[in-house]
Amino acid sequence: MSNFKVNSKIMESFDTLIREHFGSLGPEEMLIIQNYFTEEVLRKNEMFTESGQICTRLSLVQSGILRVYAPAEDGREITQWLSTKNFFVTESMGFFFNQQNRWTIQAFSDVRLLTITKSDYKKLCTEFPKWNEIEKQFIIKCFMMMEDRIFSHLSMTAEERYNQYFERNKELFHQVPLQYIASVLGMTPETFSRIRKRQSQNS
């Protein structure tokens, strides 16, 4: 793991994303937030955080892919999420609630992040009280994403879930093992392969 001073172009992109996620903030407010984030590089297979630990950082993905996964009782690994550019990544139970992580987060490729540590996060909340409201919005967005995933699993067929994910994440189908995507979609590799074959024949 390496840390670097954040360059101005990356910070401009960061500002845009912060405003897209959390609404309009003034230049002085953005400067306060910027000062707490540092650029970080994880090499392929390096751990961001592990199951059973308590996650100590929250990051915005600048490039690369992180896999969020946990072991199942039968020995398989369940891939819960593949985090890519412009997604925030953390282990919520550890970072926000100080409980042991359920999930392991690992760099699938070399990854570049903008990171705030848990200790600096607490300092930011003190220096910039408005961040407490931003935190609430972030947690709400996390729950909304979770609700959307639950709804899609309950209301959509496996093929509909496949098509939706493919349209939103086409590049991932050429970058990660397809069993990871199958797991994210809540289907077996065999079901995923059948759907993929059917889609390729129809295209």
Side-chain angles (χ1 to χ4, degrees):
M1 179 178 66
S2 304
N3 292 287
F4 304 93
K5 185 177 179 181
V6 183
N7 68 50
S8 57
K9 287 186 178 180
I10 289 175
M11 240 35 257
E12 288 175 9
S13 174
F14 174 75
D15 289 0
T16 300
L17 285 166
I18 288 290
R19 290 188 172 103
E20 284 178 0
H21 280 284
F22 306 117
S24 179
L25 295 169
E28 292 183 0
E29 293 175 318
M30 287 305 310
L31 185 60
I32 293 172
I33 296 170
Q34 287 177 13
N35 287 336
Y36 280 95
F37 282 80
T38 57
E39 194 173 8
E40 176 185 4
V41 170
L42 295 181
R43 298 304 176 191
K44 183 177 180 179
N45 296 325
E46 195 170 353
M47 294 297 181
F48 180 90
T49 192
E50 295 185 58
S51 177
Q53 296 179 346
I54 294 178
C55 186
T56 59
R57 60 201 196 273
L58 179 148
S59 300
L60 176 65
V61 182
Q62 293 292 298
S63 64
I65 303 168
L66 294 120
R67 182 166 78 107
V68 184
Y69 68 93
E73 291 183 1
D74 61 5
R76 294 180 301 112
E77 287 181 348
I78 299 172
T79 299
Q80 188 256 9
W81 189 252
L82 295 164
S83 194
T84 55
K85 183 178 179 180
N86 295 340
F87 276 94
F88 282 95
V89 62
T90 190
E91 214 289 348
S92 298
M93 293 303 295
F95 191 84
F96 291 112
F97 303 107
N98 207 41
Q99 297 184 24
Q100 288 186 347
N101 302 339
R102 173 179 297 169
W103 302 99
T104 291
I105 304 176
Q106 184 178 23
F108 177 78
S109 63
D110 288 350
V111 178
R112 190 172 292 270
L113 307 165
L114 286 177
T115 294
I116 184 169
T117 64
K118 193 167 185 176
S119 58
D120 279 344
Y121 190 92
K122 292 177 180 178
K123 292 176 185 176
L124 175 58
C125 291
T126 300
E127 180 182 354
F128 183 45
K130 190 174 181 179
W131 186 260
N132 291 292
E133 181 58 35
I134 292 174
E135 177 188 77
K136 290 178 185 177
Q137 292 181 46
F138 179 82
I139 294 174
I140 289 169
K141 284 177 181 287
C142 289
F143 279 109
M144 287 174 64
M145 287 180 64
M146 184 173 65
E147 283 191 343
D148 285 344
R149 291 190 67 192
I150 292 171
F151 181 78
S152 70
H153 278 65
L154 293 174
S155 65
M156 299 169 70
T157 65
E159 191 154 355
E160 287 171 338
R161 295 200 303 275
Y162 175 99
N163 290 335
Q164 182 186 74
Y165 194 85
F166 180 77
E167 287 303 313
R168 294 175 178 176
N169 304 278
K170 290 180 182 179
E171 70 287 349
L172 279 179
F173 283 68
H174 303 288
Q175 295 175 327
V176 303
L178 295 181
Q179 66 262 30
Y180 293 170
I181 299 176
S183 181
V184 170
L185 294 175
M187 61 182 74
T188 65
E190 293 76 18
T191 298
F192 183 93
S193 295
R194 284 197 298 271
I195 294 171
R196 183 166 174 79
K197 182 178 180 180
R198 188 159 56 245
Q199 291 292 326
S200 63
Q201 289 172 342
N202 294 336
S203 61

